[in-house]
Amino acid sequence: MFLHIDCNSYFASCEIATNPSLEGKPVVVCSNDEGGGGIVLALNAEAKALGLKRGRPLFQVRDILKNNHVELCVADHKKYHRISRQIMDCVRQQDIVLNFVQYSVDEFFGELPLDNPDELRRYTALVRDHITQTTHIPVGCGCASSYTLAKVATYYAKRYKGYDGICVLTDDKREKALSLLPVEEVWGVGRKLRVKLRAEGFNTALDFANADERRIKELLGTPGYRTYLELNGHPCIDLDRSEQQGTISRSRTFAYMIEDKEALKEQILGFVTDCAFRLRQQKSLCSSISCFVATNRHRSDLLQYSNGATIRFPAPTCDTTIMVKAATKLVNGLYRPGYKFKQAGITLGDISASEGQQLDLFTSEEDAKRQRLMKVADLINSKFGADTVDFGGTLNSHKRPSKE
């Protein structure tokens, strides 16, 4: 059976896990901007009970926050990724779940070689409790005969207290569960597809699962047909064989505008180290790096400027030091004094698999040493958190720019 693990109110749970004094209080995780505004990104159950919702601008709910003593936390994505890696590590070390993989920062999949519902529930509870005890992050779990059905099971596990956070969806309960599930709650059904499915008369997940096979193929193509098969208990998604990304990007709209070149460079080089790590994680190389910068187009009272540039490497690489040097050159060329930058980003392009790459005539022992250095740095950062080992020029990239 397939296992799905979904963290509850993940960003807010991370803040509570790292600051136990927040336990039992309404907690909101928000973005921030120059005017002290921002939006609600995540919130715990206590905050939801006050009527707060994700996506609401803070200025609209300021009175609710103040009158109910809501704890505001500015989003710290590096913390959230670090804790996500801790969840991965603790489950793998427990050695109960097979083929355990991370789907997103707060979602995970695996397999349990069991069929008995009672045993599935017992072993899933061991995994859930180990995660909670190790990381203090509460999770909901679902077990079923396919990845998509496992997510359906988690949907019920998190919404009905009787399940105590664990739902085992057996084949005899599949139709009942799908008949109560709105079609837009099916994994992979986004807003546009929801409209299309509703127009075709598919209002529930069961309507989708019971449709004519040929009709689904014609209407939704291969991705939709895979979902159809999964809803009918036929697993056909292989998360271990995720498609290689053609590009890897990292960009940000800064909370505060940046005028200093060195501060801008630190932010961009931080993006480079993140992208390079992801590149090596998928066992790939890149042949180009692009950078863009932009001022705040909503501030007509300020000078406006946006630009981008690309550098191609002589040979495909996954070496952070090479990318840092190239990005530094790009920033030096793109920066303009007197402008206040609001956005910037990095893209690694022309990505290819590292397997089978031939060493060229100019590959040196020094190159091999750097590759070993990258592996060691990745290992340390994966185990102890991002920024434990950093590269020259990026040491302060995680710091917030000073307010103008």
Side-chain angles (χ1 to χ4, degrees):
M1 295 282 272
F2 294 94
L3 170 68
H4 176 240
I5 298 174
D6 189 13
C7 301
N8 300 340
S9 305
Y10 184 60
F11 289 0
S13 293
C14 288
E15 297 298 338
I16 295 168
T18 54
N19 183 4
S21 67
L22 298 177
E23 188 71 45
K25 300 178 182 178
V27 175
V28 165
V29 178
C30 62
S31 63
N32 202 358
D33 63 24
E34 294 147 309
I39 63 171
V40 175
L41 298 178
L43 57 170
N44 66 351
E46 289 82 356
K48 291 176 183 176
L50 300 175
L52 297 169
K53 294 182 180 180
R54 284 192 303 172
R56 292 288 300 275
L58 291 182
F59 75 86
Q60 290 185 358
V61 295
R62 189 74 63 186
D63 289 342
I64 297 177
L65 299 174
K66 182 179 179 181
N67 295 337
N68 294 278
H69 307 289
V70 176
E71 299 285 346
L72 276 182
C73 303
V74 177
D76 183 349
H77 294 282
K78 288 191 176 182
K79 177 197 294 182
Y80 309 148
H81 282 280
R82 184 185 73 246
I83 294 175
S84 182
R85 288 195 294 270
Q86 291 173 355
I87 293 173
M88 285 288 295
D89 290 342
C90 80
V91 173
R92 284 174 171 166
Q93 289 166 6
Q94 194 181 24
D95 203 22
I96 291 177
V97 182
L98 304 179
N99 302 320
F100 191 60
V101 296
Q102 181 180 33
Y103 176 68
S104 66
V105 71
D106 62 345
E107 285 188 82
F108 310 85
F109 284 103
E111 297 175 38
L112 291 171
L114 302 166
D115 293 317
N116 183 283
D118 293 333
E119 287 189 347
L120 280 165
R121 184 173 184 83
R122 181 163 65 88
Y123 279 99
T124 300
L126 289 174
V127 176
R128 178 200 61 187
D129 294 345
H130 185 57
I131 293 172
T132 304
Q133 291 165 9
T134 303
T135 66
H136 305 290
I137 301 296
V139 300
C141 305
C143 294
S145 56
S146 72
Y147 284 126
T148 302
L149 287 175
K151 280 184 69 83
V152 172
T154 305
Y155 173 89
Y156 288 108
K158 298 182 72 170
R159 283 166 176 78
Y160 295 91
K161 290 184 178 180
Y163 285 112
D164 192 27
I166 298 173
C167 175
V168 177
L169 184 57
T170 52
D171 289 340
D172 59 311
K173 297 178 180 177
R174 182 185 65 85
E175 285 200 7
K176 179 67 173 178
L178 295 184
S179 70
L180 299 174
L181 186 73
V183 71
E184 57 266 25
E185 295 293 342
V186 174
W187 185 25
V189 176
R191 183 174 58 183
K192 290 183 179 179
L193 188 54
R194 176 196 66 191
V195 173
K196 190 173 186 179
L197 290 171
R198 290 276 188 179
E200 293 291 330
F202 301 150
N203 295 311
T204 69
L206 186 62
D207 294 334
F208 188 178
N210 285 344
D212 181 74
E213 189 171 343
R214 287 179 299 177
R215 186 183 180 197
I216 291 296
K217 286 181 178 178
E218 293 172 359
L219 188 65
L220 305 178
T222 300
Y225 181 58
R226 285 181 185 152
T227 299
Y228 168 82
L229 290 175
E230 290 251 330
L231 286 175
N232 282 286
H234 305 298
C236 57
I237 296 174
D238 188 351
L239 297 179
D240 282 328
R241 297 181 54 193
S242 56
E243 295 182 5
Q244 186 185 77
Q245 291 181 259
T247 62
I248 294 178
S249 302
R250 177 79 192 278
S251 62
R252 181 178 298 163
T253 298
F254 303 124
Y256 298 91
M257 290 182 286
I258 300 175
E259 190 170 6
D260 178 68
K261 182 168 78 170
E262 291 306 311
L264 180 64
K265 187 186 299 182
E266 287 172 358
Q267 292 290 322
I268 290 174
L269 296 188
F271 301 161
V272 173
T273 57
D274 288 346
C275 290
F277 175 78
R278 288 161 55 192
L279 184 72
R280 291 190 291 271
Q281 288 293 99
Q282 71 169 40
K283 296 180 174 58
S284 299
L285 306 171
C286 71
S287 294
S288 68
I289 183 170
S290 303
C291 177
F292 82 88
V293 296
T295 55
N296 190 343
R297 61 188 178 87
H298 300 292
R299 291 289 300 272
S300 57
D301 57 317
L302 300 176
L303 294 171
Q304 296 296 309
Y305 168 74
S306 63
N307 203 356
T310 300
I311 288 178
R312 295 193 63 82
F313 300 119
T317 184
C318 63
D319 190 328
T320 301
T321 58
I322 292 174
M323 297 180 208
V324 163
K325 289 178 181 177
T328 299
K329 185 176 181 180
L330 289 171
V331 176
N332 289 338
L334 294 172
Y335 175 78
R336 296 290 184 273
Y339 290 85
K340 296 183 177 182
F341 294 94
K342 185 66 175 175
Q343 292 179 307
I346 282 288
T347 297
L348 306 182
D350 301 303
I351 289 176
S352 58
S354 58
E355 295 178 2
Q357 288 284 339
Q358 304 231 355
L359 299 178
D360 62 33
L361 178 65
F362 304 102
T363 301
S364 66
E365 176 60 25
E366 190 62 32
D367 295 324
K369 287 181 180 178
R370 285 206 304 270
Q371 293 302 318
R372 291 195 292 270
L373 173 64
M374 297 299 111
K375 289 182 179 179
V376 172
D378 289 346
L379 180 64
I380 294 173
N381 285 335
S382 294
K383 186 172 183 179
F384 298 104
D387 300 332
T388 303
V389 174
D390 225 324
F391 293 88
T394 69
L395 292 174
N396 298 314
S397 62
H398 61 285
K399 293 182 179 179
R400 175 188 288 182
S402 58
K403 187 173 181 178
E404 297 293 338

